[in-house]
Structures are given as structure tokens and as C-alpha cells.
């Protein structure tokens, strides 16, 4: 089949939209309940809460946001607004309000809620964002490696294995399995070198996946965030007299408001107790999908993808698919009969003794080495995220075409499979290249089929990696 018609690799298992929908639902729930409970006072100060969710979304989507600083800033702004509302009979300058926030740690106006919420939010968001980033990197690596690098020696070996039986008058003869192993391990030698780093990456992904369903489950953290913030607000309202007295002592007695407003109406509003939604009333994600079920499904697919690259020759050369099970009745590269050479091991360095594909083992494929490095960097980020350490990502608006953005191809575009040889320019599917491949193989044009057809033996199994990322 034409490679241009192959579909692009699918999105990662957990779409970015899933967590963003959780945040949207939590924001809607907070806005609805706070409007119902605090009325006009909330509406007049709602931007404090809107900014909180905006920054959480920006962090999650790759923005350069320091979670701890952002949360500290939220509580400082909320303290300033609350302090003014609860002491509306006074006028406060910006300098005075800055003095108020300096004593936040001493006063603990919101009790222990900010500390607990910060610990939960940071651990949950670090794990979730890094995990989704890992899924994206895995998808990108698979997508790039699927653009198979094919050297002329591989083209010759594939042509001889798949099509030369036709020239010998044995069109129904399949290759011997060990013969197929040597050809495929030679052709996929560089891909096999990806396997070790890929497996470490998958192990790190599985560790972080456990964080998503553990005590720092982002779904369990986001959903009740409105209730926790309201608890903090009510705690400050209950302790407003002690907090105000301490502030007046440290920052000085404020001047009375020129308007001479009374705090009575505001106190009445804050005496209203917060009434959260019941679980049945809370908004749900569009599909009603729980994070636990998604993570279980993802972990299974991750486990299945381990050792994918080193197993490719085995999958391609499986009996009944491409090779003959009868070792005496198979194509051995010359005629019908047993294949005697030993099967070489996977990886580029082991191809020094490969009798079927002659490779320069001192010239590893550059694209594969780049993907190994990309996996190594991502694995380190995942390990840090597992330990609760924040990871510094570039702001998505500055990333351009860096890791995670791939080739700039949108989800609707089609990935074109381009074959770039380390020893030759791009091999394209035209008649001149067919003749060149046939001539290099020492065969007549009638024995050298279309290069695209030859390459299908390599690329279609690589295409199967997409099923691992559905």
C-alpha cells in the first residue's frame, strides 16, 4: 500500500482535554457555588479565582509556571481581598496591604488549608503534566522511527530474500526463518539500539502512572478544590478579629474610610455557610470516564510495548506470516533448502558478522540516536516527577518545532514515510531508483520489483507500533 495513505500515529491515551475538562468543571462548580453563597461580593472579586484556574491550565498545558509561587500569590491576593472586606470601615493603601501579606505565615488566616492544598496540587499536577508529556514524546519517537532509515545493503538483502525466488522459478517459496532473522536484524539494527532506552522510559511511565491513581490523584485533588477554598474563607471569617488585631499591631492602625461604610452587611454575607454540590450535582466529564479506568488501560498498553523494537524482527519473521516453517522447504538466499549460517544478535555492533546485510557499524543512524537522547531526557523528567520534583518545561508558545510538536503536523494530517539512508540520499518510488536498486543487487530489472514494495516488508511492521498508542 502507498505509504502516504498510512494514518498518522494517534494521540496519547490520556488526551490533554481530559484533565482540562476536569479543571473546567471544577471552575464552573466553584463559580456556581460561590455566587450562590456569597453573591455580589464574590462576583466583584471573582478574577482572583479565575486567575487561579487560568494559571493551573497554563501550567498543565506546558506554560512556564512555578506552581508554589502561583499558589502563594493566590492566597496572598485572597487575604488582601478578605481583609479589606472584613474591615471595610477602614481605608488601606497598597503599602499597608503589602504589609498584611508579609505576616501570612505568622497569622495563618486560612489555617492549614493552603499548605495541604499546595502539597496536593503540586504533586498531582507535576505527575499529570509530566505523564502526558511522556505520552507525547513516546508518540513522537515512534512516529520518527517509523520513517525507516534504509541503507542500500538492506535494499539488496530484502530484494534477494523476498523476490529472487520468482526469478528462480519458485514463486511460492517463502524465506527460511533464520535467514529472515539475519536480514531483518541487519535492516533494523539501529532500531534495536533504541530498545534499552525505550524500556527504561516505559518503566518510568509506569511509575508515574501509579502516582495518578495514588493519594495525589489529580481527579481527587481538582474536584473538591472549591470546598477547600471555601473552608479557608470561612476559617478566616471566624478568626477575623484576632487576625485584624494582629495586623493592626504589626502594620499600624489604618485610617477610617472616608465613606464610613459599615462591615455589617459584609459580615452577614460571610455568615452564610458554604453549601457544596452533592456528587450527583457535580459536573462530570463528557464521557463520564474515570481516571482510574483510563490509567489501568494505559498501563496495560505500556507493558505490551516493552521490548517492541528488539522484537520487531521476530514479529516480522514469524512462521506463517513471512517465513516457511519447514526448514528444508524454504528459500535460503540461493535455492530451496536449509539455511546454515548462525543468527546474529540484535543491535548495530552485532551486525559485524551478519552474512546477509553488510553494515558499517561505526556509523550509527543519526535520527535513531536523537530519539534515544529524547527518551533519556524524558525518562529523567519522569523520575523527577515521580519524586514530586517540578520539571522545567518551556512555555508551549516558545517551543516551536521542539520536542512534543513533532514535524508541526496537526492531528488531521498524514505522516509521510520517508526513507533516509545513512549512506545514500532519499530513496523514492520512481523507475530510475528501481533500476539502481536492481543493478546494485546484481539482478535484472525483472528480478527487482518496485523499491516501495520492497520497503513495505520493513515499514508495515513498524506501522504496527501505532496500535500500541491507541
Amino acid at each position: 500500500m502507498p505509504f502516504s495513505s498510512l494514518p498518522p500515529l494517534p494521540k496519547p491515551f490520556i488526551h490533554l482535554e481530559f484533565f482540562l475538562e476536569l479543571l473546567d468543571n471544577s471552575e464552573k462548580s466553584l463559580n456556581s457555588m460561590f455566587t450562590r453563597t456569597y453573591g455580589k461580593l464574590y462576583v466583584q472579586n471573582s478574577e482572583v479565582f479565575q486567575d487561579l484556574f487560568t494559571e493551573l491550565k497554563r501550567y498543565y498545558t506546558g506554560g512556564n509556571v512555578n506552581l508554589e509561587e502561583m499558589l502563594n500569590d493566590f492566597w496572598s491576593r485572597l487575604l488582601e481581598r478578605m481583609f479589606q472586606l472584613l474591615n471595610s470601615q477602614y481605608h488601606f493603601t497598597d503599602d499597608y496591604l503589602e504589609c498584611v501579606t508579609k505576616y501570612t505565615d505568622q497569622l495563618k488566616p486560612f489555617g492549614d488549608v493552603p499548605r495541604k492544598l499546595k502539597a496536593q496540587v503540586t504533586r498531582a499536577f507535576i505527575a499529570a503534566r509530566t505523564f502526558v508529556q511522556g505520552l507525547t514524546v513516546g508518540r513522537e519517537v515512534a512516529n520518527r522511527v517509523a520513517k525507516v532509515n534504509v541503507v542500500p545493503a538492506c535494499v539488496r538483502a530484502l530484494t534477494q530474500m523476498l523476490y529472487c525466488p520468482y526469478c528462480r522459478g519458485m514463486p511460492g517459496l517463502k524465506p527460511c526463518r533464520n535467514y529472515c532473522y539475519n536480514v531483518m536484524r541487519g535492516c533494523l539494527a539501529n532500531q534495536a539500539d533504541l530498545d534499552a532506552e525505550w524500556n527504561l522510559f516505559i518503566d518510568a511511565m509506569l511509575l508515574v502512572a501509579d502516582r495518578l491513581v495514588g493519594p495525589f490523584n489529580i481527579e481527587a485533588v481538582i474536584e473538591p478544590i472549591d470546598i477547600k477554598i471555601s473552608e479557608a474563607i470561612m476559617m478566616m471569617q471566624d478568626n477575623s478579629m484576632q487576625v485584624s488585631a494582629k495586623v493592626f499591631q504589626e502594620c499600624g492602625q489604618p485610617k477610617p474610610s472616608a465613606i464610613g461604610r459599615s462591615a455589617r452587611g459584609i459580615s452577614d454575607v460571610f455568615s452564610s455557610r458554604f453549601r457544596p454540590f452533592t456528587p450527583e450535582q457535580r459536573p462530570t466529564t463528557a464521557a463520564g470516564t474515570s481516571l482510574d479506568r483510563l490509567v489501568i488501560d494505559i498501563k496495560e498498553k505500556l507493558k505490551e510495548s516493552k521490548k517492541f523494537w528488539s522484537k520487531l524482527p521476530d514479529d516480522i519473521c514469524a512462521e506463517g506470516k513471512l517465513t516457511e516453517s519447514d526448514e528444508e522447504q524454504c528459500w535460503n538466499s540461493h535455492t530451496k533448502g536449509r539455511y546454515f549460517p548462525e543468527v546474529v544478535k540484535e543491535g548495530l555492533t552485532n551486525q559485524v558478522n551478519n552474512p546477509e546485510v553488510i553494515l558499517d557499524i561505526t556509523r550509527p543512524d543519526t535520527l535513531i540516536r536523537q530519539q534515544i537522547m529524547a527518551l533519556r531526557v524524558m525518562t529523567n523528567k519522569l523520575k523527577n516527577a515521580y519524586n514530586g520534583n517540578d520539571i522545567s518545561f518551556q512555555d508551549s508558545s516558545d517551543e516551536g518545532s521542539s520536542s512534543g510538536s513533532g514535524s508541526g503536523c496537526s492531528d488531521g494530517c498524514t505522516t509521510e514515510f520517508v526513507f533516509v539512508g545513512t549512506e545514500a540520499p532519499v530513496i523514492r518510488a520512481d523507475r530510475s531508483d528501481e533500476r539502481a536498486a536492481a543493478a546494485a543487487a546484481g539482478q535484472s530489472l525483472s528480478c527487482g520489483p518496485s523499491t516501495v514494495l520492497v520497503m513495505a516488508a520493513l515499514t508495515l511492521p513498524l506501522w504496527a507500533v501505532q496500535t500500541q498508542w491507541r
Side-chain angles (χ1 to χ4, degrees):
M1 62 185 297
F3 297 118
S4 60
S5 67
L6 291 177
L9 289 171
K11 293 179 181 180
F13 311 120
I14 292 186
H15 301 306
L16 192 67
E17 290 79 8
F18 177 79
F19 288 140
L20 290 178
E21 191 173 2
L22 289 177
L23 279 168
D24 283 338
N25 287 341
S26 182
E27 183 175 11
K28 290 174 185 175
S29 176
L30 183 146
N31 183 69
S32 176
M33 287 186 286
F34 276 43
T35 301
R36 182 181 63 186
T37 304
Y38 305 121
K40 188 177 179 180
L41 284 180
Y42 166 71
V43 174
Q44 291 173 339
N45 296 278
S46 60
E47 77 276 4
V48 175
F49 304 93
Q50 291 170 0
D51 290 346
L52 169 65
F53 283 97
T54 297
E55 288 299 286
L56 287 174
K57 291 172 187 175
R58 193 163 75 87
Y59 172 86
Y60 182 72
T61 54
N64 187 18
V65 177
N66 184 308
L67 275 180
E68 291 197 11
E69 289 183 3
M70 183 271 292
L71 290 170
N72 289 338
D73 181 62
F74 164 74
W75 291 111
S76 294
R77 291 179 65 193
L78 185 59
L79 172 60
E80 289 181 7
R81 299 295 178 94
M82 287 287 298
F83 187 80
Q84 291 180 86
L85 290 171
L86 293 169
N87 295 279
S88 58
Q89 67 272 35
Y90 297 107
H91 170 72
F92 299 103
T93 64
D94 291 341
D95 290 341
Y96 195 96
L97 292 175
E98 186 177 345
C99 177
V100 173
T101 59
K102 287 180 180 179
Y103 292 96
T104 303
D105 292 337
Q106 274 183 258
L107 298 171
K108 293 191 181 301
F110 302 113
D112 209 26
V113 174
R115 184 188 65 81
K116 289 181 178 178
L117 191 61
K118 180 163 64 175
Q120 292 172 335
V121 167
T122 53
R123 293 295 290 268
F125 273 74
I126 288 168
R129 182 173 83 160
T130 309
F131 189 75
V132 173
Q133 180 76 4
L135 289 175
T136 303
V137 169
R139 176 190 174 212
E140 291 291 340
V141 167
N143 195 13
R144 291 186 180 115
V145 175
K147 299 173 182 178
V148 183
N149 292 328
V150 181
V151 295
C154 177
V155 175
R156 292 193 293 269
L158 283 168
T159 303
Q160 185 174 5
M161 181 179 75
L162 296 176
Y163 298 100
C164 284
Y166 290 84
C167 302
R168 302 296 174 87
M170 297 176 281
L173 197 61
K174 291 183 178 180
C176 299
R177 187 168 52 173
N178 286 351
Y179 172 36
C180 179
Y181 282 152
N182 277 341
V183 172
M184 290 302 173
R185 287 182 179 178
C187 287
L188 297 171
N190 282 285
Q191 284 81 355
D193 284 344
L194 187 73
D195 211 52
E197 203 62 50
W198 177 268
N199 293 336
L200 292 174
F201 163 72
I202 295 298
D203 287 339
M205 287 288 289
L206 290 169
L207 283 174
V208 177
D210 290 335
R211 286 281 188 250
L212 297 181
V213 293
F216 300 103
N217 178 340
I218 192 169
E219 195 171 26
V221 169
I222 291 175
E223 192 173 79
I225 200 169
D226 48 5
I227 297 174
K228 293 176 181 178
I229 292 175
S230 182
E231 287 175 356
I233 289 174
M234 289 187 290
M235 193 171 294
M236 179 171 178
Q237 191 260 333
D238 291 340
N239 300 319
S240 61
M241 293 184 65
Q242 297 93 312
V243 171
S244 297
K246 180 66 175 176
V247 169
F248 295 161
Q249 179 183 338
E250 298 295 340
C251 300
Q253 186 70 25
K255 296 180 180 179
S257 172
I259 301 176
R261 290 186 302 168
S262 170
R264 182 181 169 209
I266 294 173
S267 298
D268 290 341
V269 170
F270 278 109
S271 66
S272 301
R273 306 310 289 177
F274 189 72
R275 302 189 309 276
F277 286 132
T278 64
E280 293 76 20
Q281 292 174 312
R282 278 189 174 277
T284 59
T285 55
T289 308
S290 76
L291 183 61
D292 288 354
R293 291 200 302 273
L294 283 172
V295 172
I296 289 171
D297 181 58
I298 290 169
K299 289 176 70 174
E300 287 303 312
K301 288 182 171 63
L302 286 172
K303 290 173 183 176
E304 291 171 8
S305 72
K306 286 196 71 172
K307 298 185 178 179
F308 177 85
W309 305 104
S310 61
K311 287 180 178 177
L312 268 178
D314 297 344
D315 294 338
I316 296 169
C317 298
E319 291 181 10
K321 287 185 179 179
L322 185 65
T323 62
E324 175 60 56
S325 58
D326 189 340
E327 294 184 0
E328 302 292 342
Q329 302 294 318
C330 55
W331 174 252
N332 65 8
S333 81
H334 300 291
T335 185
K336 180 169 67 174
R338 181 180 291 272
Y339 181 77
F340 290 100
E342 292 185 4
V343 177
V344 298
K345 295 180 179 180
E346 303 91 351
L348 184 61
T349 57
N350 290 318
Q351 305 312 305
V352 66
N353 296 318
N354 192 325
E356 308 304 335
V357 184
I358 308 302
L359 298 175
D360 183 354
I361 64 171
T362 65
R363 297 180 64 184
D365 185 273
T366 304
L367 184 144
I368 297 291
R369 302 300 141 176
Q370 289 173 346
Q371 304 319 303
I372 290 174
M373 183 56 65
L375 288 173
R376 190 169 296 160
V377 170
M378 193 65 236
T379 299
N380 185 56
K381 291 179 179 179
L382 288 162
K383 289 179 179 178
N384 276 292
Y386 177 77
N387 293 323
N389 298 323
D390 203 353
I391 310 301
S392 177
F393 285 110
Q394 278 187 308
D395 192 300
S396 57
S397 62
D398 298 329
E399 284 183 353
S401 60
S402 62
S403 178
S405 61
S407 60
C409 203
S410 65
D411 293 324
C413 70
T414 301
T415 301
E416 180 182 3
F417 285 75
V418 181
F419 303 105
V420 184
T422 54
E423 301 176 14
V426 175
I427 300 173
R428 300 192 183 278
D430 59 27
R431 300 296 298 175
S432 61
D433 287 324
E434 290 177 20
R435 297 188 183 91
Q443 303 291 337
S444 66
L445 186 59
S446 62
C447 189
S450 167
T451 303
V452 172
L453 292 176
V454 175
M455 294 306 102
L458 273 177
T459 55
L460 292 181
L462 281 175
W463 179 35
V465 73
Q466 295 172 97
T467 61
Q468 305 290 335
W469 295 92
R470 290 190 182 278

